[in-house]
Structures are given as structure tokens and as C-alpha cells.
């Protein structure tokens, strides 16, 4: 029997505003789509929080025994500034400013995105499609939506007719908005606008002469609207109806609302059963924004090269910090919070490694089976990672009590405790073992010292004894002792 048959998982569905028992469309299989980054700059820390949140969801579903197809897109065209239907493409703008090709911008920041998520120990998605790789499919779905009467073409651009769509469906049901109120609170369209109504959004935009990124279509040389790619790629790889769609809270309106409208207009079906939204990350109590300077990049956290934190923090500790809040809660990033997380992380890892040498008794005074189920209960309650972490710290107390002989544990229960901690710390939360991380640091340190020993030997061969002595003396000041012998130079760390 698969674990998912024993555990009852509840997910908070943004569509209903309630926690619902999770039942996939096809038993044992889960289709999950998450909106990925627009690759025009280094990945934002707030975005990283979203992707870590859905990595947790992915990991737990896999742990429960589901076969998960996780699709996360790369937006490499069509996302205009300020999420508008006019203006400059974000990627094209960066390409113009840096005087490089748009696809150079895409390549550079896609690599950065992957590198950062790898440092955070995120699992890669099953499929990572790009907007530019699906232009043909986007053109085809626009044709379908036009044929069904929910879109119109003006001067080479195609717009979705929200007012007409709302007569048969409900535009605004995800975000809880009423179209009549939206219309009443909107200014009149500018005279030069091609739209019938202000709420209408672009499915295809005719490219201005200066617009670099363009493709041929039945309507014009142009590019697809930003919302369209997600409808196309989610349905192509997961079907017209699939289980989970995730993204940041800021995407609920208009992006996800437009996705629903496009899907329903094209197929007549509601595309998603469970909508999940991760909340925002603030910095020292204020919204993160590059424009105000209240911003920090992941690499600046790891290197310590920033004006916000007193010291560097590893990706491991930063990930642990983010998981200490439920994905639907606002999380404030600060130096104090990260320092507290680092202490907690080290305490948790030390307790886990102390388990190996823990003495056992014939009988347990602890109910390990109930504690194990409480870990599942936490994750079954909408992936409640902070409660799970609290349960793991209950295990730390149990381990300390056994060490102090105020509690006892049997060999069988010790094995269960050890395995459950391993599963939830490493497989589900996605933390890396501190010992392996320390070993990695030690290997890098050894390689660096060996390089300095080689440079010192070259200096001696060149009779540059001043440099040779300087390398030896400065290493000695750092507590690294060099010893010259017949077999070469070795080192020891004091």
C-alpha cells in the first residue's frame, strides 16, 4: 500500500478559500504546474522562496508515493514592463541596455536561476519548457479562442474579450473580483487603444519596428501575450484539466485569472483543481524592491557581501529559515532571524548525528510511533513545514533526555526515530546534511592549501625566497603549519 493511501493530505485551495482533501484526477499520479521566472535579471530572493515552497510540495508528494509530473516554465519572451499590454519586453530592454542579443540575456539569467536553485538543493522539475519553444502552440490556441468568439483582432494584435467571456463564465472567480465593479472603477480607454474594454488583455501583440523579439503569425509579425504561455504549456504537458497550479501570491491577478479564462474559453473546462499561492518575503519589515535599495540577492547572502547581514549564511541555513514559516504566510528576512535559524539548524543536525551513539534499553519510555505520525499530520495539513520543524525539535528534546538517562528507547524505536528524522529533514524539507557540507568545505580548504604549497615550491625553485617565506609565514599566522620533508611539503591545521 502506498503512503498516500494511508495519509489524508489537505491542501488550501485559493479558489475555494478552504483546505480540501487532495484527490488527484488519476490515482497515484499528480500533474503540477508552477509559474517560473522571467529571465531578464538575477533571480529575486522572493522568487526563491516561492520555488523552495513548491519544492517542498513536490518532495512531499513524491515521498507519499505519487508519481509527479512537475512542469515549471521559463518566460523568455512576451513579458512586458509593469505586467502591461504595452511597452517594452523586459528581456529585450535588458538586451538593448547591455547591447547584446535577447537570447544572451535569457541564457545568462537562466544559468543563474538554475545555479541558485541548485545551491538551495531544489529538485529540478520534470519538464522545464520555454515560451519561445512554444510559439506555434500559442498561435494555434489563439485561433481556437477567436473561433469560439472570445477574442478579436485589431491592427495585427489579438485581444481576449473579457466582457463576452464573462457572459458564459466567471472572470474574477480566483481573485474574488467582480467584473462589473472592475469596469465601474476603471478609467475610459485612451483614444489610441485597440482594446474594446480596459479589462481585455493581449493574446498576440503586433511588434513595433524597434521590437527585437518577433515571430510571424496570421495576424502580424509579433509576439504572444505573457499570460498565454502558461495556458499552452500546462495543458500540453498535463492535459486540459490537471491537479495543482502554483505560483506567487502576486500572480493571482491578473496572470492566473487570465490563465483560467484562456483555458475555459479554449476547452470549455476549468483547467485546475487546486490553486496554491506562496506569500511574499519582506526585508526588515518592508517590501523588497530594487528601486528602494531594500533588496538582497541570494549570492550576496552566501558571500556576506551586503549591507543587511553581519555575516554570510549558507544556502542550507537560508532554506531552513524559509521553511520555518508556512508557505502562505508573509515571512520577514532579517539578520536576527537568520542567526536564530542557524543556531536551530546546528542544534537539529547535532542531535540527529548524536542518535548514532544513543544507548538503547529493552523498553521505550517514549511513544515514537505517535511522534512519527505527528510529523505526517503536520505535512498533511497543507504542507505545514513550521509545525513539522517543531516536531523535529521535539525529537531533539527526546534525544537529549535519553542522553541524560531521564528517558529510554528500544533498539526498534531508535531505528524508527532515526529513519523518520532522516526522511523529514533530508527527503521532505530538502536540507543537506551539515557533516557532508563541512566535508565539502574541508576539501576546498585542502585544495587551496595544496595550491599555495605548489606556488611556494615554484618560488623556491626561482630562488624567490622572500615570497616562499611570506607564504609559509602567513599560513602559519592562520594556524596552518607547513612541514618540508623528503617526500615534499605536508601541512597540518592547529
Amino acid at each position: 500500500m502506498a503512503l498516500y493511501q494511508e495519509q489524508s493530505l489537505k491542501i488550501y485551495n485559493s479558489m475555494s478559500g478552504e483546505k480540501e482533501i487532495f484527490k488527484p484526477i488519476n490515482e497515484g499520479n499528480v500533474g503540477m504546474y508552477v509559474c517560473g521566472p522571467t529571465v531578464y535579471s538575477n533571480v529575486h530572493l522572493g522568487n526563491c522562496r516561492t520555488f523552495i515552497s513548491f519544492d517542498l510540495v513536490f518532495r512531499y508528494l513524491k515521498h507519499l508515493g505519487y508519481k509527479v509530473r512537475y512542469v515549471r516554465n521559463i518566460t523568455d519572451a512576451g513579458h512586458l514592463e509593469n505586467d502591461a499590454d504595452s511597452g517594452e519586453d523586459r528581456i529585450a530592454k535588458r538586451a538593448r541596455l547591455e547591447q547584446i542579443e535577447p537570447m544572451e540575456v535569457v541564457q545568462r539569467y537562466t544559468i543563474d536561476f538554475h545555479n541558485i536553485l541548485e545551491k538551495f538543493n531544489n529538485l529540478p522539475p520534470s519538464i522545464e519548457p520555454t515560451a519561445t519553444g512554444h510559439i506555434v502552440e500559442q498561435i494555434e490556441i489563439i485561433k481556437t479562442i477567436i473561433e469560439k468568439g472570445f477574442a478579436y483582432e485589431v491592427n495585427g494584435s489579438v485581444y481576449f474579450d473579457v466582457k463576452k467571456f464573462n457572459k458564459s463564465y466567471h472572470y474574477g472567480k480566483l481573485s474574488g473580483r467582480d467584473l462589473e465593479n472592475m469596469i465601474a472603477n476603471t478609467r475610459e480607454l485612451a483614444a489610441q487603444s485597440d482594446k474594446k474594454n480596459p479589462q481585455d488583455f493581449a493574446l498576440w501583440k503586433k511588434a513595433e519596428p524597434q521590437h527585437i523579439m518577433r515571430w510571424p503569425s496570421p495576424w502580424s509579425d509579433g509576439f504572444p501575450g505573457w499570460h498565454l504561455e502558461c495556458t499552452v504549456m500546462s495543458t500540453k504537458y498535463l492535459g486540459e484539466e490537471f491537479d495543482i497550479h502554483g505560483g506567487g501570491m502576486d500572480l493571482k491577478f491578473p496572470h492566473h485569472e487570465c490563465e483560467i479564462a484562456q483555458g475555459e474559453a479554449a476547452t470549455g473546462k476549468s483547467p485546475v483543481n487546486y490553486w496554491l499561492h506562496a506569500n511574499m518575503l519582506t526585508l526588515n519589515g518592508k517590501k523588497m524592491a530594487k528601486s528602494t535599495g531594500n533588496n538582497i540577492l541570494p549570492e550576496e547572502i552566501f558571500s556576506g557581501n551586503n549591507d543587511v547581514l553581519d555575516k554570510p549564511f549558507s544556502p542550507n541555513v537560508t532554506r531552513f529559515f524559509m521553511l520555518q514559516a508556512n508557505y502562505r504566510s508573509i515571512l520577514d528576512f532579517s539578520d536576527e532571524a537568520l542567526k536564530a535559524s542557524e543556531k536551530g539548524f546546528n542544534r537539529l543536525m547535532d542531535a540527529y548525528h548524536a542518535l548514532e551513539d544513543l544507548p538503547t534499553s529493552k523498553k521505550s519510555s517514549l511513544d515514537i510511533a505517535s511522534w512519527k505520525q505527528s510529523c505526517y499530520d503536520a505535512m498533511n495539513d497543507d504542507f505545514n513545514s513550521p509545525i513539522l520543524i517543531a516536531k523535529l525539535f521535539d525529537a531533539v528534546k527526546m534525544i537529549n533526555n535519553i542522553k541524560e538517562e531521564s528517558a529510554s528507547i528500544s533498539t526498534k524505536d531508535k531505528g524508527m526515530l532515526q529513519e523518520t528524522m532522516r526522511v523529514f529533514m533530508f527527503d521532505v524539507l530538502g536540507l543537506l546534511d551539515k557533516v557532508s557540507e563541512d566535508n565539502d568545505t574541508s576539501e576546498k580548504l585542502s585544495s587551496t592549501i595544496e595550491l599555495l604549497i605548489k606556488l611556494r615550491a615554484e618560488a623556491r625553485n626561482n630562488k624567490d625566497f622572500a615570497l616562499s617565506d611570506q607564504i609559509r609565514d602567513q599560513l602559519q599566522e592562520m594556524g596552518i603549519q607547513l612541514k618540508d620533508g623528503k617526500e615534499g611539503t605536508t601541512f597540518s591545521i592547529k
Side-chain angles (χ1 to χ4, degrees), residues 64-277:
L64 290 180
Y66 287 112
K67 185 180 179 184
V68 186
R69 179 177 286 175
Y70 174 19
V71 183
R72 187 185 66 211
N73 69 304
I74 295 282
T75 297
D76 58 353
H79 194 168
L80 305 187
E81 289 183 283
N82 304 316
D83 301 342
D85 278 336
S86 60
E88 199 169 4
D89 183 286
R90 293 180 177 188
I91 291 161
K93 181 180 180 180
R94 179 57 67 104
R96 178 175 58 76
L97 291 172
E98 295 190 19
Q99 295 186 315
I100 57 175
E101 281 291 321
M103 285 300 133
E104 285 184 73
V105 173
V106 167
Q107 180 76 351
R108 177 184 300 170
Y109 294 114
T110 300
I111 289 169
D112 169 71
F113 173 66
H114 287 150
N115 286 344
I116 293 297
L117 288 199
E118 190 177 337
K119 286 180 182 179
F120 278 126
N121 199 32
N122 272 28
L123 298 174
S126 318
I127 305 172
E128 194 172 51
T130 64
T132 56
H134 295 76
I135 299 293
V136 171
E137 293 91 335
Q138 292 182 74
I139 289 170
E140 289 306 309
I141 201 171
I142 294 170
K143 288 179 186 175
T144 301
I145 295 170
I146 291 172
E147 283 167 17
K148 297 213 173 170
F150 295 116
Y152 56 92
E153 185 260 334
V154 183
N155 298 328
S157 292
V158 181
Y159 295 96
F160 190 93
D161 193 331
V162 170
K163 217 169 179 180
K164 191 167 183 186
F165 171 80
N166 203 53
K167 288 176 183 175
S168 306
Y169 299 94
H170 178 190
Y171 181 80
K173 60 184 174 182
L174 177 65
S175 57
R177 297 176 190 225
D178 178 74
L179 184 60
E180 295 306 316
N181 287 338
M182 282 192 263
I183 291 169
N185 293 319
T186 310
R187 294 176 185 173
E188 288 296 311
L189 281 167
Q192 70 270 22
S193 176
D194 291 331
K195 295 182 188 181
K196 289 181 183 176
N197 303 291
Q199 282 69 36
D200 296 350
F201 56 90
L203 298 176
W204 186 265
K205 286 289 290 180
K206 181 182 180 180
E208 297 298 325
Q210 70 274 16
H211 199 96
I212 313 171
M213 303 178 84
R214 56 174 67 219
W215 292 264
S217 81
W219 313 286
S220 65
D221 276 7
F223 53 94
W226 170 42
H227 311 303
L228 195 64
E229 64 179 272
C230 290
T231 295
V232 162
M233 291 188 275
S234 61
T235 53
K236 176 170 181 174
Y237 298 110
L238 300 174
E240 292 177 350
E241 296 172 285
F242 58 95
D243 300 302
I244 296 172
H245 193 313
M249 198 75 80
D250 57 320
L251 297 180
K252 191 185 282 190
F253 186 87
H255 185 55
H256 290 161
E257 205 71 76
C258 294
E259 275 191 64
I260 294 168
Q262 291 165 164
E264 289 181 337
T267 68
K269 299 171 186 173
S270 186
V272 179
N273 284 355
Y274 302 87
W275 284 93
L276 277 67
H277 290 96

Side-chain angles (χ1 to χ4, degrees), residues 24 37 51 263 335 416:
F51 300 127
D335 192 56
M416 187 193 296

